[in-house]
Amino acid sequence: MLINVVLFMCIVGNVHSWCMELAFKVVTGGPFGVYDLFVRNRTHNTKNRAAQQLTNQVKEHYKSDVLNDIHSYGVTKIRVSYYKGGAEAQYFVFNAVGATKTGWFSRDRLLETSFNNITTLTDVKNKTGEFFSIEGNFGVDYKNPVSRRFFINEGYYECGGDLGWVVVIDGPGPCSMDKGKTSTIVYFVNTYSYSLMPGETADFMAIFAERGTCIYSEICSTTSTPNEYLLVNETEEIQKRINAIKKNLTVPMNSTSKHHRSKTSANDERMSSRAIGMVLGVGLISAFLALILLPDIFTLIRYALERVCEIKA
């Protein structure tokens, strides 16, 4: 049996309960080229089990094929999470139904977020440095190259004064948060609304995809704490879960109603049925007794005839 090795995050809250598959991960300290990796129809590190863990121990990005075609895979929601110290620090959830490959990451598709002031996120002010997109700010800005991806920013107020929420540094830039950088950096502000950028450095950014309706009862316990995640990328663990599900769904043959019916006769109260049963019963019993006694009867008759002949003689 071939088993697809994936990683799921089980999210159990008061309102929502679903399982999401890890589809993309950007690690602080990983190589530049995050945007190109995301938009191109390819996978990355799908055989590198360490890169698929929700840790930053390996400075390698990860991408499955799910986000290459979200329509074919039936993706309905996408969660973007920012982790630090082994825990989720901030997150966004987007509606992915009918969205393009990069269009789901937008203010009009935002369903929920850990940032309290969601109104600020959804308001368009059309000011300099306002961004809410995967492409973000790329090119030349103030005569300096810049590459800020997965960028949600309130506005530019010169270096050191910019305000925003999250960003992935995908190349060197003009300000202290990206100037002279040689590897990817994931930033987020650890406040309830936008704040001075770049904020804090995340261990990594993880993107999870919900594909249709997820049957999570056997994988995600309803007693789990919110934002708890479960690693199931060990084939032995997956097989244990499969065996447990099979055991719960298997019905023994001798406990089915069909089996019970095959061992019993239905009661028929009709007089005609009783009469037929009586006649057949008496006939069968009589025939059975006759087969047993007939040879003895013949012997008895022959013996009696011989005795009569002897007396007459």
Side-chain angles (χ1 to χ4, degrees):
M1 180 187 295
L2 294 178
I3 301 175
N4 291 327
V5 178
V6 294
L7 182 150
F8 289 92
M9 177 169 139
C10 302
I11 306 164
V12 181
N14 295 328
V15 179
H16 302 291
S17 296
W18 63 78
C19 293
M20 288 188 158
E21 177 182 347
L22 179 65
F24 192 67
K25 189 180 82 167
V26 178
V27 182
T28 294
F32 287 146
V34 170
Y35 180 76
D36 290 340
L37 174 62
F38 184 85
V39 297
R40 291 182 181 177
N41 290 329
R42 59 171 178 162
T43 61
H44 189 62
N45 279 325
T46 54
K47 295 183 179 180
N48 186 341
R49 189 177 300 176
Q52 300 173 42
Q53 302 288 333
L54 290 180
T55 68
N56 62 342
Q57 295 179 0
V58 176
K59 305 302 181 184
E60 290 285 344
H61 308 311
Y62 164 75
K63 182 188 178 186
S64 71
D65 59 350
V66 173
L67 295 181
N68 288 334
D69 190 348
I70 60 177
H71 301 297
S72 297
Y73 282 100
V75 177
T76 55
K77 293 178 183 177
I78 296 177
R79 185 184 184 102
V80 183
S81 299
Y82 299 81
Y83 283 82
K84 184 169 184 176
E88 184 185 62
Q90 301 285 13
Y91 73 89
F92 303 92
V93 178
F94 299 93
N95 175 19
V97 177
T100 62
K101 188 172 186 177
T102 59
W104 56 265
F105 192 91
S106 62
R107 51 170 44 94
D108 59 330
R109 287 186 169 272
L110 182 63
L111 297 176
E112 62 178 278
T113 177
S114 55
F115 293 102
N116 281 356
N117 195 353
I118 193 171
T119 304
T120 307
L121 280 166
T122 55
D123 287 344
V124 180
K125 299 182 176 61
N126 294 319
K127 61 174 61 177
T128 302
E130 181 184 19
F131 293 95
F132 199 132
S133 67
I134 292 176
E135 183 181 9
N137 187 10
F138 175 76
V140 177
D141 188 32
Y142 299 108
K143 298 182 181 181
N144 291 290
V146 62
S147 184
R148 299 171 182 174
R149 308 296 193 173
F150 293 89
F151 198 14
I152 305 180
N153 202 54
E154 193 274 341
Y156 281 159
Y157 304 96
E158 298 185 356
C159 291
D162 298 340
L163 300 175
W165 289 268
V166 294
V167 65
V168 173
I169 302 302
D170 200 25
C175 298
S176 59
M177 66 177 177
D178 48 16
K179 189 173 185 178
K181 305 302 182 184
T182 58
S183 60
T184 302
I185 305 177
V186 180
Y187 289 121
F188 70 95
V189 295
N190 198 18
T191 58
Y192 290 118
S193 184
Y194 62 87
S195 185
L196 283 174
M197 293 292 279
E200 299 188 22
T201 302
D203 296 334
F204 57 90
M205 178 188 74
I207 297 180
F208 300 91
E210 178 188 354
R211 297 163 63 177
T213 303
C214 178
I215 307 232
Y216 64 89
S217 59
E218 290 296 331
I219 299 176
C220 310
S221 170
T222 55
T223 59
S224 301
T225 57
N227 301 332
E228 178 184 357
Y229 59 83
L230 173 67
L231 299 179
V232 291
N233 54 335
E234 293 290 344
T235 55
E236 292 182 1
E237 180 65 19
I238 295 176
Q239 192 60 52
K240 288 180 181 179
R241 300 297 175 89
I242 293 174
N243 293 339
I245 294 172
K246 285 183 177 179
K247 184 178 180 180
N248 291 334
L249 295 178
T250 301
V251 178
M253 289 295 296
N254 59 3
S255 66
T256 62
S257 58
K258 180 179 179 181
H259 176 79
H260 292 313
R261 289 195 304 269
S262 69
K263 301 299 181 181
T264 58
S265 299
N267 187 30
D268 195 338
E269 299 292 341
R270 294 177 298 174
M271 288 300 298
S272 58
S273 299
R274 288 176 176 271
I276 293 172
M278 181 69 72
V279 172
L280 288 177
V282 172
L284 290 174
I285 293 173
S286 299
F288 179 74
L289 292 175
L291 289 175
I292 296 175
L293 298 176
L294 195 59
D296 294 332
I297 292 174
F298 286 149
T299 301
L300 181 61
I301 293 173
R302 187 173 63 252
Y303 176 76
L305 291 174
E306 289 177 352
R307 292 294 296 171
V308 170
C309 291
E310 288 177 358
I311 293 173
K312 288 182 178 181

